[in-house]
Amino acid sequence: MRLLLLAGTMEARQIAAAFSSDNRIKVIASLAGATRTPRALGVPTRIGGFGGREAFAAYLERERIGAVLDATHPFAAAMSHRSADVCHEMQVPYMQFLRPAWMPGRGDHWTFLNSEEDAARHIPEGARVFVATGRQTLERYGNMHGRTLIVRLIDSVPGHFPLPEGYFLPGTPPFTVEEEVALFRRQEIDWLVTKNAGGNASRAKLDAARHLGLPVAMIRRPLQPEGPKLETISAALSWVRRLL
Ligand code: NAP
């Protein structure tokens, strides 16, 4: 069976690894191309957008894709909606792997936001803000006058900071809680802004914020496609194997 694995997350990497030695399933992983030098997934991988809805449908047909496992990031909602719709129309089995959202616990001070633009309503002027939502969404903080934005960049050359107040910091994940605590102290961070990505790979910053008693502005997830979802790697692997 030819499985298209929509990737871009740590879990997609784990799913690819699990299938790399299974001769019954030919996995083709797909990356959007957002990371300049992605680590190899251990299965044949195509990189870059498909070129829109029609092109995605044509790709599924041309490559004789038997099922699509969508393990994209919870905020890659456009891709998930489009893939779910096209697969439904073409009667190609589709499943979304979606890690559970983070929930606040004891000692957390979270404010939920509907979008990046909301941050300015809650974070006071003068604050030093660690913005963990990446370079792509930075222009959405254009209303954060009077706050200093500190943005960590994973694999790109920092370049010019596009907003009046703030700067880029280089950093290569994974980060431990101790490292995040030290960074927040060193940078004198007052607030953390993050997307509700869920999962363990990037939660150290939340544990660090709890440890330091820092307030967190948590951006809610976008609406996901309707239909069943799987929350664990083993459930995702079983779903694929049941299709054989
Ligand atoms: P998006 O807004 O949902 O999708 C935008 C376009 O990117 C899609 O229409 C598609 O282009 C292309 N695309 C997205 N995922 C793709 C994939 N796995 N393979 C091939 N093309 C893909 O997605 P996004 O938020 O820009 O995220 C892009 C990628 O980065 C995703 O794979 C996601 O897993 C990863 N990622 C996203 C975030 C985040 O916060 N959004 C965080 C970490 C990782 P075409 O229409 O041309 O096919």
Side-chain angles (χ1 to χ4, degrees):
M1 202 225 349
R2 290 168 68 80
L3 174 79
L4 178 65
L5 174 65
L6 299 175
T9 56
M10 195 187 73
E11 290 86 352
R13 183 170 290 286
Q14 292 167 339
I15 292 167
F19 284 131
S20 60
S21 54
D22 190 332
N23 294 331
R24 299 166 303 168
I25 302 161
K26 170 140 176 55
V27 178
I28 302 145
S30 177
L31 291 169
T35 309
R36 280 187 197 186
T37 46
R39 276 194 297 134
L41 283 148
V43 295
T45 303
R46 60 164 304 291
I47 299 182
F50 292 88
R53 188 185 177 98
E54 302 309 318
F56 178 65
Y59 174 89
L60 295 184
E61 195 166 311
R62 190 173 65 246
E63 295 296 323
R64 292 173 287 107
I65 299 297
V68 175
L69 180 56
D70 178 357
T72 56
H73 191 271
F75 280 73
M79 187 62 182
S80 293
H81 282 283
R82 203 264 310 277
S83 305
D85 285 355
V86 169
C87 288
H88 179 73
E89 280 166 22
M90 296 178 70
Q91 297 186 3
V92 173
Y94 166 88
M95 179 57 75
Q96 188 182 10
F97 169 86
L98 190 67
R99 17 165 136 130
W102 289 321
M103 302 293 282
R106 248 174 102 87
D108 285 330
H109 309 284
W110 291 11
T111 300
F112 285 92
L113 309 182
N114 288 326
S115 67
E116 286 82 352
E117 288 83 354
D118 266 2
R121 294 202 296 122
H122 300 278
I123 301 179
E125 286 198 22
R128 291 177 60 80
V129 187
F130 190 85
V131 178
T133 59
R135 188 203 286 263
Q136 282 90 339
T137 51
L138 206 44
E139 74 285 356
R140 298 189 194 159
Y141 298 96
N143 58 356
M144 290 276 274
H145 316 288
R147 292 86 164 169
T148 303
L149 307 188
I150 295 132
V151 178
R152 182 159 57 200
L153 290 184
I154 290 179
D155 75 339
S156 40
V157 186
H160 170 70
F161 196 77
L163 297 173
E165 292 139 295
Y167 51 93
F168 289 126
L169 279 180
T172 308
F175 307 103
T176 65
V177 179
E178 292 71 28
E179 285 165 343
E180 298 292 57
V181 167
L183 175 74
F184 291 173
R185 282 206 172 114
R186 210 165 46 242
Q187 294 291 331
E188 299 178 340
I189 299 300
D190 302 307
W191 273 82
L192 166 65
V193 184
T194 182
K195 292 175 179 172
N196 197 335
N200 289 327
S202 62
R203 79 151 290 136
K205 57 182 176 282
L206 291 178
D207 295 333
R210 178 187 293 173
H211 180 82
L212 295 169
L214 292 182
V216 174
M218 180 63 70
I219 302 173
R220 287 192 176 93
R221 289 181 171 188
L223 210 61
Q224 304 294 330
E226 288 183 14
K229 293 163 185 34
L230 301 174
E231 292 189 344
T232 63
I233 305 281
S234 62
L237 301 183
S238 304
W239 178 78
V240 176
R241 292 193 172 118
R242 275 200 300 275
L243 295 171
L244 292 172

